[in-house]
Amino acid sequence: MLKKKEKYIVAVVGATGAVGREMVQTLEEREFPIEKLRVFASERSEGKKIEYKDKDIPVEVLKDDSFEGIDIALFSAGAERSKIWAPVAVKSGCVVIDNSSQWRMDPDVPLVVPEVNPDDIKWHKGIIANPNCSTIQMVVVLKPIHDVAKIRRVVVTTFQSVSGTGQKAMDELLQQTTDILNFKNVKCNVYPYQIAFNVLPHIDKFLENGYTKEEMKMVNETKKIMGDNSIRVTATTVRVPVFRGHSESVNIETERKLTANEVRAILSGAPGIIVFDVPHKNVYPIPINVAGRDETYVGRIREDESIENGINMWIVADNLRKGAALNAVQIAERLIS
Ligand code: 25A
Ligand code: L14
């Protein structure tokens, strides 16, 4: 569908958002072959400028003919916008890489993490979905283990930073912290309760089954990306007062027994992963060190002594990079390779 070229006309939709800005920066850093970059956002951002390669690119508002001549569009303007505009872009002959939850579970749309299921890109019909941030960093680690020992069950608890919700949530954490230290009243606009100095067991909306949408994304998207519906997954997703970087406590049960050292060896040779695990020297991944990095970090690798074939791990990645912008740009790189 995408014609091979020297350089491509690329668009970022939602370019003023926390993820959109990261997308523009990642395209520049990785020297994606771009002939012309166009950036889109809502009316309130019209006239703003986005910096790319030392040039100011004006923010445009989407119109029915906006995508004409555009080869690849990276979307990060939320599910409602993707629902409306991705089909418009596809009709114009553009390939869409969508960061929202809108198309992820659609059977006609591949859901891709390049380290895990790169070949799924091939069967796209115009839209390729970028998975949920917490799911991406988990499957990067699960895949090489699954290939060796077959994972039967996953129990995951996440510790997710506020940047997943966007810049307005980062502003709220900073404002609440400042207000508390100045003995002022705390205002809550983005989250239902104070997030500063607190922990909320709630990400995205609650569903009929008592789980949140974020938790069910981890269950369903993991199976689709790994191409294996037999893996049982259960998740609890939690918001913590961290600006950037999601952490996860992951317990797995495998068909074949693996020692902690075998897991370390498997992961050390796997793409996109850094094993950071020297407990007696206090070496383990933490979000403030992983923020700004491309790899998924794994530490605290231990055998689960309560079952036959169990492993516990601590997984940390930058949610705006591997969890969103970087994964989308990696998909685009595969698409043109
Ligand atoms: O994740 P978000 O924040 O909800 O944003 C998602 C993206 O989708 C776009 C939206 O554009 C944003 O880029 N979008 C929404 N509707 C769209 C439509 N119909 C659409 N795109 C196309 N068609 P936007 O124009 O709505 O965003 C303009 C700015 O407003 C902030 N914002 C968005 N929704 C908000 C909101 N603020 C309050 N309440 C809401 N409901 C949005 O915030 C955007 O900038 P932000 O997170 O992008 O940044 C807030 C301020 O911080 C600066 N900033 C952000 N990242 C960086 C930064 N500055 C320096 N470095 C950074 N890395 C921004 O410039 C802004 O001043
Ligand atoms: O990609 O952290 O579906 O509030 C939606 C919720 C991203 C994270 C997605 C959050 C998520 C976001």
Side-chain angles (χ1 to χ4, degrees):
M1 222 178 287
L2 188 70
K3 279 198 209 84
K4 254 216 165 305
K5 294 182 179 176
E6 273 303 297
K7 289 181 166 185
Y8 297 85
I9 302 179
V10 176
V12 174
V13 177
T16 58
V19 171
R21 279 171 190 275
E22 202 70 31
M23 283 173 164
V24 172
Q25 212 180 311
T26 307
L27 287 167
E28 179 171 342
E29 271 174 29
R30 295 174 70 92
E31 294 178 20
F32 194 84
I34 293 180
E35 187 191 316
K36 185 181 166 69
L37 181 71
R38 293 178 61 190
V39 294
F40 295 93
S42 71
E43 288 83 8
R44 74 181 137 197
S45 289
E46 202 176 5
K48 270 194 194 171
K49 301 277 196 304
I50 297 282
E51 202 183 293
Y52 170 75
K53 290 200 171 170
D54 297 324
K55 279 198 213 95
D56 281 337
I57 304 187
V59 174
E60 300 176 65
V61 173
L62 288 173
K63 300 194 188 73
D64 283 331
D65 61 358
S66 288
F67 293 98
E68 268 158 39
I70 295 175
D71 300 304
I72 302 169
L74 307 184
F75 273 61
S76 84
E80 266 121 87
R81 261 75 63 184
S82 292
K83 186 178 180 177
I84 298 166
W85 291 101
V88 175
V90 172
K91 221 173 252 165
S92 300
C94 174
V95 179
V96 172
I97 301 170
D98 183 39
N99 189 54
S100 82
S101 58
Q102 179 61 37
W103 306 99
R104 290 179 188 151
M105 295 311 295
D106 188 317
D108 283 337
V109 174
L111 182 64
V112 177
V113 178
E115 290 88 341
V116 179
N117 60 336
D119 289 344
D120 282 340
I121 292 173
K122 290 179 191 151
W123 56 266
H124 81 83
K125 298 186 170 85
I127 303 174
I128 302 164
N130 199 60
N132 163 263
C133 39
S134 302
T135 310
I136 292 178
Q137 68 182 72
M138 184 170 77
V139 296
V140 163
V141 176
L142 295 186
K143 178 65 162 73
I145 300 173
H146 191 55
D147 287 345
V148 173
K150 196 166 187 344
I151 295 170
R152 282 193 187 132
R153 181 166 185 248
V154 181
V155 182
V156 54
T157 303
T158 67
F159 304 72
Q160 298 184 219
S161 66
V162 297
S163 56
T165 319
Q167 184 65 42
K168 57 202 178 297
M170 292 194 264
D171 296 344
E172 179 152 303
L173 172 57
L174 188 62
Q175 189 62 52
Q176 289 181 351
T177 307
T178 312
D179 287 345
I180 290 163
L181 297 179
N182 286 292
F183 307 101
K184 287 191 191 156
N185 287 330
V186 166
K187 287 187 210 72
C188 303
N189 295 314
V190 177
Y191 300 121
Y193 299 100
Q194 177 187 320
I195 183 61
F197 307 100
N198 203 5
V199 163
L200 308 175
H202 173 185
I203 292 179
D204 211 336
K205 296 188 180 73
F206 279 99
L207 300 168
E208 282 290 304
N209 66 357
Y211 286 81
T212 61
K213 273 178 82 175
E214 186 79 352
E215 287 160 351
M216 295 315 295
K217 285 176 224 164
M218 293 194 80
V219 173
N220 298 321
E221 293 181 23
T222 297
K223 296 178 190 192
K224 179 166 175 177
I225 301 161
M226 304 267 288
D228 188 343
N229 273 321
S230 73
I231 304 174
R232 286 169 287 164
V233 183
T234 187
T236 304
T237 58
V238 181
R239 185 80 61 195
V240 294
V242 168
F243 283 101
R244 192 165 168 149
H246 288 0
S247 307
E248 300 175 342
S249 163
V250 179
N251 175 272
I252 58 169
E253 193 179 342
T254 53
E255 205 160 282
R256 185 158 91 63
K257 165 97 189 147
L258 289 175
T259 65
N261 274 335
E262 283 172 322
V263 173
R264 274 185 210 103
I266 292 165
L267 296 180
S268 296
I273 295 175
I274 291 181
V275 175
F276 203 63
D277 192 20
V278 192
H280 67 276
K281 289 194 173 154
N282 296 348
V283 171
Y284 42 74
I286 50 177
I288 56 170
N289 290 344
V290 171
R293 307 216 170 240
D294 286 348
E295 297 86 358
T296 298
Y297 283 69
V298 191
R300 304 293 325 277
I301 300 168
R302 294 149 286 156
E303 284 152 46
D304 174 355
E305 294 171 349
S306 73
I307 52 171
E308 287 285 310
N309 303 337
I311 291 286
N312 281 307
M313 300 176 279
W314 176 253
I315 303 173
V316 184
D318 185 327
N319 54 298
L320 297 182
R321 288 189 80 94
K322 187 56 191 166
L326 172 65
N327 198 72
V329 172
Q330 287 173 319
I331 291 172
E333 289 169 349
R334 292 267 177 170
L335 191 65
I336 63 164
S337 74

